[in-house]
Each structure stands twice: as C-alpha cells, then as structure tokens.
Amino acid sequence: MQNEQVSIHRPRIGVLTSGGDCPGLNAVLRAVAKTAYWQGYEVFGFEDGFEGLIDPIRYRKLTPQNTQGILTMGGTILGSTNRGRFAARVGVSGRAEIAPELIKKVSATFDELKLEGLICVGGDGSLSTALQFHEAGLPVVGVPKTIDNDLSSTAYTFGFNSAVLCCADALDRLHTTAASHRRVLVMEVMGRHTGWIALHGGIAGGADVILLPEIPWEYDNILAKIDERKQLGKEFTLVVVAEGANLPDGSMVASGEASGNLQTRLGGIGHVVTDELSRRIKQEVRCVVLGHLQRGGGPTTFDRVLATMFGTHAVRLVLQKKFGQMVSFDPPDIVSVPIADAVDSIRTVDPNGSAVMSARALGINFGDTPGYQNPFPIPE
C-alpha cells in the first residue's frame, strides 16, 4: 500500500509482527498504538515482518482509531512471515548472520523515517534478528510471542493459552466419539522442541497418554496403558503427542526438508504412532492433526491481557531508551530482560516439574513406564 502522509512534528515508533501468527498479535498492536498516542508519538506498523523495512518500504500508520476493534481478532493486521531475507534461527539455538547490506538498508529506513525505536514482536527466530539489529546499533525492543511457550526469561508468552484452549476443546470433542466407538484416538499438536502445549492441553482435555520431546517413551508402555484402561472398564484411550517428540529410536518425523536459514518442517508423528498402534492391537486407532487450528482464532482473555501489557510496556522501554531489552512476564509483573538472554536457550518442560507430577498423579501415562508411577512417594 502507499505510505501515508504524516506529521513531521511528532516523534515516531515502529512496530512489526514477525514469525508464525498467533492469537494476541493484534492486541499488542492496539496497545502500542493507544499507548504511543497518549505519549505524543506516531506509530508506523511495518507490513510482513522485517521484510517491510526495505525494498520497498511498506508501512501504515497505526492510530487508536484504525486499531479499534482488533483486540479480539486473531492473526495480525500487518501480516507476518517466518521466511525471507531476515531468517536468523537455525535449529534449537543456531544463529544465521543477517547480511550486512540488509542491516545497512534497515538503518537507512530508520534514518529516512526518523524512527526513535522499533518494537519487534516475535519468537526466538524473530528476536534473534532483532538482537542483530541491536548489535548493529539500531534502537530495538522485543515482545515475546510463540504458542509453544518455549522462550526463556518469561513465564508465559501470549498465544500459548489460546493454543491450549484449542487443544482442550478438541479433546473434549474427541472424548465423546472415542467413547462411542471404543477407539484409540491419537491427536498431534504443535511443539517443535518442547511439549508445553501437549502437556497443558492434555491435562486440560483429560488425555490418557501424553508424549513429549522431553520424556523418552516406548510403544509397549502405551499398550500397557490401553490394557490398564480396559481392565478398569474403559474401552477408549486418548493419546496426545507433540509434533517434536522423538520416536522410540530417537528419530524425529519431518514433513519437509530444511532449506536456507529455515528449520526443518515437523509433522506426521501422529500418523506414525497411529499406524504402529494399529499394527499391534486389534482395536481401531484413528489420528487427528490439529495443525494451524492452534494458531487461528481470537485470543483468550488471558492472552488479551498479557498481549496488552506487553504492548504498553514495550512502548515504555522505547521511551526510557532501554534498547536491546525484551518485555517479560514475571508474575504478577511485566519486567524487561536482555534479548540476548531470551534467545540464548529455549525453556523446556521439566520431567520432574509440578505439571508432570500432577499428570502422573492422575494416572496420565507419558510412555516411559508401563503402569502408574507414584509422583508423591512417602518417605519411610
């Protein structure tokens, strides 16, 4: 779209949404626009993530008026991409360097538009790009976004709660059909390197088996759980598996090869597990892959509040010139941490953590034991 004519008298802040979309992005944009307005700033929203910063520059002015009503909307009005010239994440913690000429062009955009700061909303890959901007001397701040909830240095990222609700709702629906037909139903959910969605969604939706990247598992243990349920008079079983969970032989299931700076596309483990269980038991086994349903739709009330607080405090960081920082949720407060700390490593599920212990106490099986594992042993 054509760049809008704007006043040269008010200082300017840029904002962009990068990486995979998720519920809550529009809530951040609304919060940035409204907060900046009351602080006397104009906001330029760059389209299609970092790509909108150069060749050609694409932005729109964000105001309280044109962001009205987007609080509850899913997706992002600015568009987003996890591909292109600015991809900076390879694997779990690998970093690809952004070409110096690209950073020079971005710096020229900052000068041309007289930006006093750029708010980058994204996950570990997008924040790795933002970190390189900061290292080059550009005034940037970060806002953590990922449905996987795997970013270090923040208790929660917005989008996660909404994704868990999607999983729980799906399990609620699968429960009735599985019980009616006495089936084993396998549901594959997102989670590249961590099992937060599978764990919380599985607990919330009453799963019987949860397979995570953090806990090695065996098919025999799943079969033992299915038999255990039959002995209790329960002729159906719900299995939740994270797309990034390793198979018993240690391999991962991918749906596409990696190319350039992009990570390997995962997906398909649900069908692999379904086929193997079908081969081993006479009971009917079916697979459901939630896929991008977990990214779509409007944000939950929790994500609306969290995204709004992130947006307002990101503006605060720009005003205070705390560049190279990322807003972080340290309940009940919104604080800031260095972007470098946030992308240095991912936050994984603790196999001995409270959530896993609670699940085990309910009898949920993680595929690592053939029967009930008491998480609360009483000392002798």
Side-chain angles (χ1 to χ4, degrees):
M1 66 176 294
Q2 295 293 323
N3 297 342
E4 299 184 30
Q5 298 297 318
V6 295
S7 168
I8 63 174
H9 300 296
R10 302 179 71 189
R12 299 169 181 169
I13 295 174
V15 63
L16 57 83
T17 54
S18 179
D21 69 303
C22 77
L25 287 170
N26 284 323
V28 175
L29 298 178
R30 171 181 175 271
V32 169
K34 290 174 70 73
T35 304
Y37 172 82
W38 290 111
Q39 295 293 331
Y41 279 71
E42 290 180 323
V43 176
F44 287 180
F46 291 91
E47 299 179 344
D48 300 324
F50 294 103
E51 296 295 321
L53 291 169
I54 61 172
D55 302 335
I57 301 171
R58 303 183 304 281
Y59 64 84
R60 66 179 72 177
K61 184 179 177 183
L62 300 182
T63 68
Q65 290 75 28
N66 64 22
T67 56
Q68 182 177 349
I70 69 172
L71 173 64
T72 61
M73 289 172 52
T76 165
I77 60 172
L78 294 179
S80 186
T81 180
N82 51 12
R83 302 174 181 274
R85 296 165 289 183
F86 292 92
R89 173 68 76 192
V90 179
V92 178
S93 58
R95 167 170 144 164
E97 297 297 321
I98 303 299
E101 59 268 23
L102 291 180
I103 294 183
K104 288 182 180 179
K105 291 181 179 180
V106 172
S107 180
T109 299
F110 272 68
D111 292 339
E112 177 184 345
L113 299 180
K114 296 181 174 57
L115 297 180
E116 296 197 1
L118 176 67
I119 298 171
C120 303
V121 188
D124 59 346
S126 301
L127 292 177
S128 293
T129 299
L131 177 61
Q132 293 187 49
F133 284 5
H134 170 65
E135 292 168 347
L138 297 177
V140 300
V141 299
V143 173
K145 175 274 316 175
T146 169
I147 66 171
D148 288 347
N149 201 45
D150 60 357
L151 271 177
S152 297
S153 305
T154 184
Y156 288 102
T157 55
F158 68 88
F160 170 66
N161 187 263
S162 300
V164 169
L165 176 61
C166 176
C167 295
D169 179 68
L171 283 172
D172 289 346
R173 296 171 184 272
L174 291 177
H175 187 112
T176 58
T177 186
S180 297
H181 293 274
R182 298 180 176 85
R183 287 173 176 156
V184 175
L185 285 182
V186 178
M187 188 175 80
E188 178 185 318
V189 303
M190 287 183 171
R192 169 171 288 274
H193 301 297
T194 64
W196 291 107
I197 296 177
L199 177 60
H200 284 242
I203 292 174
D208 307 301
V209 178
I210 301 175
L211 305 178
L212 308 176
E214 294 88 349
I215 300 178
W217 56 275
E218 299 289 341
Y219 283 109
D220 286 344
N221 294 329
I222 300 176
L223 298 177
K225 179 62 179 179
I226 295 173
D227 287 338
E228 176 187 83
R229 286 181 55 78
K230 288 182 178 179
Q231 293 172 14
L232 294 173
K234 300 178 180 180
E235 299 293 331
F236 69 95
T237 300
L238 298 179
V239 180
V240 177
V241 55
E243 64 180 358
N246 291 327
L247 293 172
D249 63 5
S251 64
M252 296 180 68
V253 181
S255 61
E257 296 294 330
S259 61
N261 290 345
L262 301 178
Q263 301 186 76
T264 300
R265 180 182 299 172
L266 300 182
I269 189 173
H271 289 289
V272 173
V273 171
T274 298
D275 292 344
E276 183 63 20
L277 293 179
S278 296
R279 191 180 66 81
R280 296 193 183 202
I281 61 177
K282 296 181 180 180
Q283 194 171 2
E284 187 175 12
V285 187
R286 296 288 185 89
C287 179
V288 174
V289 180
L290 287 190
H292 285 78
L293 287 172
Q294 297 156 90
R295 292 192 180 279
T300 61
T301 53
F302 178 88
D303 280 341
R304 293 180 202 179
V305 173
L306 183 61
T308 297
M309 290 195 295
F310 277 172
T312 58
H313 283 272
V315 173
R316 171 179 63 83
L317 292 181
V318 173
L319 299 179
Q320 296 174 349
K321 299 188 183 303
K322 293 184 177 180
F323 301 119
Q325 295 283 303
M326 180 192 84
V327 291
S328 169
F329 184 37
D330 183 15
D333 300 316
I334 302 296
V335 298
S336 66
V337 298
I339 296 176
D341 291 350
V343 301
D344 182 59
S345 61
I346 62 174
R347 188 169 63 90
T348 58
V349 172
D350 181 0
N352 297 312
S354 297
V356 173
M357 291 175 64
S358 295
R360 291 193 191 277
L362 297 172
I364 296 176
N365 187 281
F366 288 90
D368 56 338
T369 60
Y372 182 80
Q373 183 184 70
N374 183 12
F376 307 138
I378 299 175
E380 296 183 358

